[in-house]
Amino acid sequence: MGTSFWRRTPIDPPADGFPEGEHVDLVVVGAGFTGLITALMAAARGSSVVVLEAHTVGAGASGATTAKVSVLQGTRLSTIRSAHGLDTARAYAEANQHGLDWWADFCQVHGVDSQRRRAVTFAKGRRGISTLREEMTTLVDLGLPARWHDSLDVPFPARAAVELPDQFQLDPVEALAALALAAAGLGVRIVEHSRVTGLKARGQGEDAHVEVRSDGGTCTARNAVLATASPALDRGPTVASMEAERSYLCAFEYPGGLPSGMYGSVESPVRSLRTVPTPGGEVLFVGGNGHRTGTARGTASRIDSLREYAEKYFPGAEFTHGWSAQDFHPVTLLPRSGPMPWGRGRVHFAGGYSKWGLTGAPAAAGIMVDRLEGRQPRVSFGKPTLTGVLRTSVSLYADLPAQLAATAAQAAVRKPRPTLRPIGEATGDDGETCRVGLLCPHMGAALAWNEAERSWDCPWHGSRFSACGELLEGPATGDLTRHDEA
Ligand SMILES: Cc1cc2nc3c(=O)[nH]c(=O)nc-3n(C[C@H](O)[C@H](O)[C@H](O)COP(=O)(O)OP(=O)(O)OC[C@H]3O[C@@H](n4cnc5c(N)ncnc54)[C@H](O)[C@@H]3O)c2cc1C
Ligand code: FES
């Protein structure tokens, strides 16, 4: 699978070394939108901040996103309302409006390429239209200036649509570069290629601090923030209450022009569309085909089907990039931004954005920074209800028995000797063939081969490993065991 379209421009944050043995106010783990905005906000309030990133700035979903910034998010507002009530949907909408306003301001101040666009959710069939009506009702009940369309002037199938005007889109890599620069300007040190492998809250009262262990060294901090998309290092209820979804995006050169807007379908497979103005003309994005990480077969065909869609409805569209990335769906349906149960109030986590974390990150970061300073957060994503959570849990955990059975079956495989653990053999991009243990080092689930990415993917919490076992993304913090000699 290729690299994200956005990666055509490099991000070169000022190079900083690991703060070996130092004590700082805040260690932020992860340099995506959540981590960098948190670092920026904390530094602006006078904190000394270090960001530790396992790979490079924007290596996670942030450098691979569609980059729509919108309060209309498919049919999420009516879904949240139906699970948790209108007040929670209102809080969620307000937190996302806060994100949109924050980004509009940031992009203007820092010259990040961005545009105002209408957001449109569309439906093709009768059931989709009825779901769409529920979204429209919720938007109206929330007092948002939504418009209903009985038809839509677009080249792809759409029988009805809801529109929310004056939403936003941006270039995420320009935004990441600007965030890194702005943070560095306030004294934030960003250390790339430094994976955090342990966080321990220690001491009491005035002495309370977090010990941070990474593969680059150790340091201590008054507080730590996990901005790691899923809660790295966690093996408890927080990580267990999220599902990783991998989805696919393609970019096309398309001089034909798309009616201005950012589009998303109600029906599955989801189709998400936007354009990117470039000096060489319009680029069209078509995304979708998401699935739970580590569960889909034929992943390579997911890009093919997006290409076919674009070639059918946008004749002349020329494929340039195809890539995939993942984000996490929490059982509450609401992003999480708060303390980890094991962190004695000093380790916070923000994530679980259900693929809307560019829009949600400013609110999530603001909530954490307020809490770490002992202030009442100014925004909130709303409160989940128990009945709503129970209802979502049924679908999140529906395939758990099958997953457990698959893991037990793999663990029981006794070949090849001398190990009792299952072993997989695969060839990486560089042609090297490797044999690796196939039980996830995070919590022991059986890994599945992802042919599109040539990676071993975990169906439980979304950790991913290269063909030769190198950890690509967490919550795991270590590589797979190599068995080349066996
Ligand atoms: C295909 C796709 C399309 C999307 N489209 C949109 C959209 O249009 N609009 C929108 O609002 N949102 C969208 N999203 C969601 C959005 O991109 C994400 O929610 C957001 O980027 C998450 O940012 P983050 O900083 O929390 O996580 P990430 O960007 O994933 O960053 C986490 C970082 O933590 C690092 N890390 C992990 N573990 C460790 C460790 N142990 N030590 C050190 N570093 C570590 C990772 O390397 C990574 O760089 C989309 C997501 C996907 C997958
Ligand atoms: S990511 Fe948790 S078991 Fe694999």
Side-chain angles (χ1 to χ4, degrees):
M1 183 87 58
T3 334
S4 146
F5 164 85
W6 303 113
R7 288 301 187 160
R8 70 202 198 288
T9 20
I11 308 172
D12 291 317
D16 278 302
F18 189 87
E20 182 61 39
E22 282 185 45
H23 180 78
V24 294
D25 291 331
L26 179 66
V27 162
V28 175
V29 188
F33 296 126
T34 306
L36 291 177
I37 297 172
T38 304
L40 186 67
M41 288 179 174
R45 296 191 200 173
S47 294
S48 56
V49 185
V50 169
V51 179
L52 301 177
E53 164 57 50
H55 299 284
T56 53
V57 168
S62 298
T65 173
T66 320
K68 305 169 179 173
V69 184
S70 177
V71 176
L72 177 61
Q73 303 177 351
T75 54
R76 274 185 70 68
L77 290 173
S78 50
T79 306
I80 290 170
R81 178 191 198 167
S82 131
H84 305 306
L86 188 62
D87 284 347
T88 303
R90 177 172 289 111
Y92 181 78
E94 284 172 2
N96 283 282
Q97 182 64 49
H98 170 85
L100 196 159
D101 297 341
W102 190 93
W103 276 117
D105 190 44
F106 182 85
C107 291
Q108 196 194 7
V109 171
H110 296 273
V112 174
D113 192 30
S114 53
Q115 300 82 35
R116 285 278 168 184
R117 290 282 186 270
R118 64 173 185 167
V120 177
T121 303
F122 63 90
K124 293 186 299 190
R126 227 158 19 111
R127 278 181 67 184
I129 291 172
S130 122
T131 310
L132 198 58
R133 285 199 194 284
E134 286 170 30
E135 187 68 9
M136 181 67 193
T137 305
T138 300
L139 289 161
V140 170
D141 290 348
L142 292 175
L144 291 165
R147 280 205 287 262
W148 178 267
H149 295 267
D150 280 321
S151 65
L152 202 60
D153 185 20
V154 289
F156 47 86
R159 274 184 47 204
V162 166
E163 170 189 338
L164 194 61
D166 213 22
Q167 305 301 292
F168 200 66
Q169 62 178 25
L170 52 75
D171 179 324
V173 163
E174 278 193 20
L176 287 160
L179 281 169
L181 206 63
L186 293 176
V188 173
R189 286 176 284 170
I190 301 170
V191 187
E192 296 185 310
H193 306 292
S194 184
R195 180 175 294 281
V196 171
T197 51
L199 286 180
K200 190 108 192 128
R202 295 200 182 276
Q204 302 283 341
E206 289 287 288
D207 289 337
H209 65 275
V210 184
E211 215 173 76
V212 182
R213 211 172 53 245
S214 98
D215 50 16
T218 52
C219 64
T220 58
R222 193 152 53 89
N223 294 300
V225 159
L226 286 169
T228 47
S230 73
L233 309 170
D234 187 51
R235 288 188 170 80
T238 313
V239 78
S241 62
M242 290 189 188
E243 178 178 299
E245 184 190 339
R246 204 143 187 95
S247 32
Y248 298 77
L249 267 170
C250 291
F252 304 85
E253 277 172 12
Y254 185 64
L258 183 72
S260 171
M262 309 180 295
Y263 301 86
S265 70
V266 172
E267 288 102 345
S268 290
V270 166
R271 292 290 175 256
S272 168
L273 301 100
R274 67 162 279 194
T275 54
V276 184
T278 73
E282 289 258 282
V283 168
L284 168 69
F285 271 26
V286 179
N289 287 345
H291 58 80
R292 183 173 180 158
T293 301
T295 59
R297 286 182 197 282
T299 45
S301 67
R302 309 245 162 181
I303 286 283
D304 295 342
S305 88
L306 293 176
R307 287 180 72 160
E308 281 158 21
Y309 180 90
E311 280 154 17
K312 183 167 179 189
Y313 298 114
F314 301 89
E318 267 193 42
F319 174 83
T320 59
H321 297 74
W323 69 98
S324 72
Q326 68 191 34
D327 203 4
F328 292 79
H329 295 279
V331 73
T332 58
L333 302 173
L334 303 169
R336 188 184 159 99
S337 179
M340 293 301 288
W342 42 265
R344 298 197 200 167
R346 302 214 159 250
V347 180
H348 284 229
F349 163 72
Y353 298 111
S354 303
K355 294 206 286 173
W356 284 100
L358 167 63
T359 314
I367 292 168
M368 280 190 299
V369 173
D370 279 343
R371 285 216 176 113
L372 288 170
E373 288 184 343
R375 295 195 210 173
Q376 182 63 24
R378 280 159 278 187
V379 277
S380 150
F381 287 107
K383 283 203 173 77
T385 59
L386 184 60
T387 44
V389 172
L390 288 175
R391 228 182 312 147
T392 330
S393 308
V394 172
S395 65
L396 181 64
Y397 300 116
D399 65 346
L400 189 61
Q403 296 291 343
L404 288 171
T407 296
Q410 283 229 20
V413 173
R414 280 173 177 260
K415 61 179 188 182
R417 286 177 182 279
T419 176
L420 297 183
R421 289 169 180 262
I423 288 176
E425 186 173 288
T427 307
D429 289 338
D430 57 0
E432 188 190 359
T433 299
C434 303
R435 291 157 61 79
V436 294
L438 282 194
L439 293 185
C440 179
H442 179 234
M443 289 172 74
L447 303 174
W449 180 242
N450 174 349
E451 59 172 358
E453 295 285 356
R454 304 205 67 69
S455 61
W456 295 105
D457 294 1
C458 181
W460 281 10
H461 317 111
S463 287
R464 297 179 54 250
F465 306 84
S466 73
C468 290
E470 188 197 346
L471 176 60
L472 300 173
E473 47 193 319
T477 52
D479 298 340
L480 300 180
T481 316
R482 295 277 295 257
H483 292 278
D484 299 320
E485 71 292 347

